[in-house]
Amino acid sequence: MKKILNYINGELIEPQGQKYIDNYEPATGEVYSLIPDSDHKDVELAVKAAKEAFSSWSQTNKEVRSSYLRKIAEKIKDRQEEFATAESRDNGKPLSLASKVDIPRASHNFSFYSSAIIHFASESHQMELGAINYTLRQPIGIAGCISPWNLPLYLFSWKIAPALAAGNCVVAKPSEITPYTAYLLSEVCVDIGLPKGVLNIVHGYGHKVGSAITEHPEIPIISFTGGTQTGQTIAKVAAPMFKKLSLELGGKNPAIIFEDCDYDKMLETTLRSSFANQGQICLCGSRILVQESIYERFKNDFVAAVKQLNPGDPKAKTTKQGALVSEAHMQKVLAYVKLAKEEGGQVLCGGHQVDLSADGLNGWFVQPTVIEGLDQNCRTNQEEIFGPVVTISPFKDEGEAIAKANSTKYGLAATVWTENLSRSQRMAEQIHAGIVWVNCWLLRDLRTPFGGVKQSGVGREGGFEVLQFFTEPKNVCIKYDK
Ligand code: NAD
């Protein structure tokens, strides 16, 4: 069986303890490769390598750093189908989604930072009394980068690329549930001759490898994307050590639909924003709020369309719904459907596991699910389900829509559908979220701030500010005689 390896000090190596974790393919439910079950000893090796590489990498001309990142971007592009196939197999997501969205965007993250570091400028402030302040932005040291399973390479690269561009060395941990594209990335780094120790990828569990990274005294900066609870654990460890911290966490995003929307466009996009990647995108809308005058029409049309979204083989070109990422996650999602019924919700469609064993697929498929009749304060509408389950509820006017939209502890993203420009502005101002999409979803310009408010995270940054995050600013004040 194929063994995934750690990438430490420029080499692909086995974990020190020689232990492995089974890597399941969500569509078939079968183990298809082995993941290093690394621990603090492997992290220690990675830190040692990164420390040794730092003095040279941090002094390397930024054009040279840029060229390494560009080469990585190009290699990912060259091997796009291989990366996409690996991601689809690891994650259960449709191959078409991985090859059209995830992998090209991951490659783009590297090319964006390859270019950004060249154009990166620091600030300067002149004082009238005769002094100039300028900001030196220097690399910090070793960056710890920890990422989740839902967009494995895309989110991994969103951390690694800016950290490396800024001149840091990196110890990174992908999710143990979807490790394969990070392994392919380490092959690419070997292939292009990235200097040894600059990037180290240690595979394994969060409570072993993730916590060893977070706790390590020689890793002063942590960039984490994942669940809110894990973020809290990491913050508790990192705060007393005064580590620089970026946390991108969970969400419970509202999609708000007004009667004056472009109905067809809204319906098509709301299907996607609810169920893309089986609802396992942190930015998916999971609470659909519909103005009461069009509620019944929307409900009928939406449910009819959702019923057509049948899960199938992620490898097939026509498949729009793949498998959920793991059996445990599927059970969690189904438990929420049960809870929704107990809370008084009516399941309008879906709500059950789909049996595709006749096609040789014994994995974790769930029929896309729509539930109505729930109060916004119930657990189903307050807790992140992170699967193909949405609730729909009516609202009367803007005030009620805003109150409902803002009623959770999360504040990651929101979508507003209206053709009324003034209304869209009022809504955007009052919704408490890191991003508000108006008449669209998932459009992403890397220069804009990204991330959540409230319990959806801290450290919301645009692409250039992420570069700044990975630097240590130092003010130099020079007095001159007038
Ligand atoms: P998770 O928090 O379980 O795991 C994320 C990563 O943290 C994994 O690599 C895991 O191994 C590691 N980890 C677990 N325990 C750790 C610990 N004690 N110390 C250090 N690392 C540890 O999240 P997940 O289930 O992989 O991902 C789903 C979650 O991620 C959802 O809540 C989703 O909303 C969130 N997410 C947020 C964004 C965003 O941009 N805000 C993007 C994608 C996913």
Side-chain angles (χ1 to χ4, degrees):
M1 177 129 356
K2 172 73 186 170
K3 273 185 184 168
I4 288 170
L5 298 170
N6 287 333
Y7 172 55
I8 297 176
N9 204 23
E11 288 177 14
L12 296 169
I13 58 170
E14 299 216 34
Q16 298 300 292
Q18 302 280 325
K19 285 200 226 144
Y20 286 85
I21 308 163
D22 289 338
N23 189 22
Y24 285 90
E25 179 173 0
T28 62
E30 282 164 19
V31 176
Y32 82 103
S33 58
L34 297 172
I35 315 161
D37 180 7
S38 315
D39 59 26
H40 65 280
K41 292 196 255 356
D42 303 281
V43 172
E44 206 52 63
L45 275 186
V47 169
K48 185 169 175 282
K51 209 171 149 187
E52 277 168 20
F54 180 68
S55 55
S56 157
W57 183 249
S58 58
Q59 298 298 317
T60 299
N61 185 309
K62 61 185 182 181
E63 303 224 348
V64 176
R65 295 204 299 262
S66 160
S67 77
Y68 280 115
L69 294 186
R70 198 173 53 248
K71 280 185 205 153
I72 295 175
E74 282 163 5
K75 285 283 175 190
I76 294 174
K77 231 188 214 165
D78 291 349
R79 294 172 64 177
Q80 183 161 311
E81 274 321 294
E82 191 187 350
F83 269 96
T85 304
E87 177 146 326
S88 165
R89 198 167 184 197
D90 246 11
N91 181 278
K93 74 175 55 174
L95 179 56
S96 56
L97 185 65
S99 51
K100 280 197 206 114
V101 181
D102 298 58
I103 303 305
R105 284 191 178 195
S107 168
H108 185 58
N109 282 345
F110 282 104
S111 56
F112 178 89
Y113 282 107
S114 157
S115 163
I117 189 61
I118 298 294
H119 302 288
F120 187 55
S122 67
E123 315 86 77
S124 144
H125 304 277
Q126 183 151 13
M127 299 169 83
E128 283 178 5
L129 57 78
I132 292 179
N133 295 273
Y134 69 92
T135 310
L136 263 182
R137 290 201 166 267
Q138 295 167 309
I140 299 171
I142 305 174
C145 300
I146 303 174
S147 60
W149 49 258
N150 63 324
L151 304 167
L153 188 66
Y154 174 69
L155 293 170
F156 203 50
S157 54
W158 177 242
K159 302 174 179 314
I160 289 171
L164 294 178
N168 302 284
C169 293
V170 170
V171 176
K173 189 196 101 60
S175 169
E176 66 277 20
I177 302 172
T178 52
Y180 217 104
T181 46
Y183 173 60
L184 293 180
L185 173 66
S186 56
E187 281 187 357
V188 162
C189 293
V190 172
D191 187 17
I192 65 152
L194 186 71
K196 61 181 191 175
V198 164
L199 170 63
N200 303 276
I201 299 176
V202 186
H203 292 270
Y205 289 119
H207 66 273
K208 287 186 176 178
V209 178
S211 56
I213 291 173
T214 316
E215 287 162 10
H216 204 290
E218 293 188 270
I219 301 183
I221 176 165
I222 303 284
S223 172
F224 170 80
T225 302
T228 295
Q229 222 177 335
T230 315
Q232 282 166 350
T233 306
I234 289 175
K236 273 187 201 151
V237 175
M241 299 173 86
F242 307 113
K243 296 194 179 204
K244 208 169 180 186
L245 200 54
S246 163
L247 300 170
E248 297 193 355
L249 309 175
K252 190 73 183 175
N253 310 312
I256 304 160
I257 299 166
F258 285 95
E259 61 187 4
D260 59 10
C261 67
D262 179 330
Y263 189 84
D264 293 340
K265 211 196 283 173
M266 173 280 296
L267 192 63
E268 191 198 329
T269 308
T270 305
L271 266 185
R272 232 169 23 90
S273 65
S274 305
F275 298 113
N277 199 25
Q278 300 72 251
Q280 301 167 129
I281 298 179
C282 55
L283 303 163
C284 277
S286 54
R287 296 179 296 135
I288 304 179
L289 308 172
V290 189
Q291 196 156 25
E292 58 188 11
S293 51
I294 59 164
Y295 182 79
E296 285 302 317
R297 178 186 176 199
F298 172 81
K299 174 171 120 177
N300 294 332
D301 292 345
F302 187 63
V303 169
V306 174
K307 283 182 178 166
Q308 307 298 314
L309 288 178
N310 294 317
D313 186 351
K315 290 194 291 299
K317 278 202 178 113
T318 50
T319 297
K320 295 230 167 70
Q321 288 290 298
L324 299 203
V325 77
S326 68
E327 184 169 19
H329 188 57
M330 180 185 73
Q331 295 305 348
K332 177 189 149 186
V333 169
L334 293 175
Y336 269 107
V337 176
K338 185 165 169 276
L339 173 72
K341 288 184 199 160
E342 287 162 12
E343 289 183 320
Q346 289 94 51
V347 176
L348 302 176
C349 61
H352 52 82
Q353 184 177 3
V354 179
D355 181 3
L356 295 178
S357 55
D359 301 328
L361 301 169
N362 295 305
W364 307 304
F365 299 90
V366 170
Q367 191 65 34
T369 305
V370 182
I371 302 170
E372 75 165 348
L374 288 170
D375 188 84
Q376 286 304 307
N377 295 323
C378 70
R379 282 183 56 204
T380 310
N381 270 329
Q382 290 291 318
E383 297 175 14
E384 186 183 43
I385 300 175
F386 213 54
V389 177
V390 297
T391 63
I392 56 172
S393 335
F395 67 83
K396 276 197 198 64
D397 52 23
E398 286 177 28
E400 191 183 349
I402 287 163
K404 287 185 167 175
N406 289 340
S407 69
T408 75
K409 66 180 183 183
Y410 296 107
L412 188 53
T415 309
V416 176
W417 288 94
T418 175
E419 291 293 298
N420 181 328
L421 183 62
S422 301
R423 167 177 278 163
S424 70
Q425 294 297 312
R426 288 192 297 272
M427 294 298 290
E429 278 177 14
Q430 293 180 73
I431 292 171
H432 201 189
I435 182 164
V436 178
W437 278 296
V438 178
N439 299 334
C440 61
W441 178 70
L442 212 62
L443 278 186
R444 177 94 174 89
D445 182 326
L446 294 187
R447 294 166 299 184
T448 60
F450 178 80
V453 297
K454 300 197 273 184
Q455 299 213 4
S456 290
V458 287
R460 196 170 34 268
E461 311 273 15
F464 283 97
E465 291 78 34
V466 174
L467 260 185
Q468 290 192 356
F469 170 76
F470 283 107
T471 65
E472 206 157 54
K474 183 189 292 172
N475 186 50
V476 181
C477 180
I478 304 173
K479 175 87 179 76
Y480 59 90
D481 297 332
K482 281 263 215 186

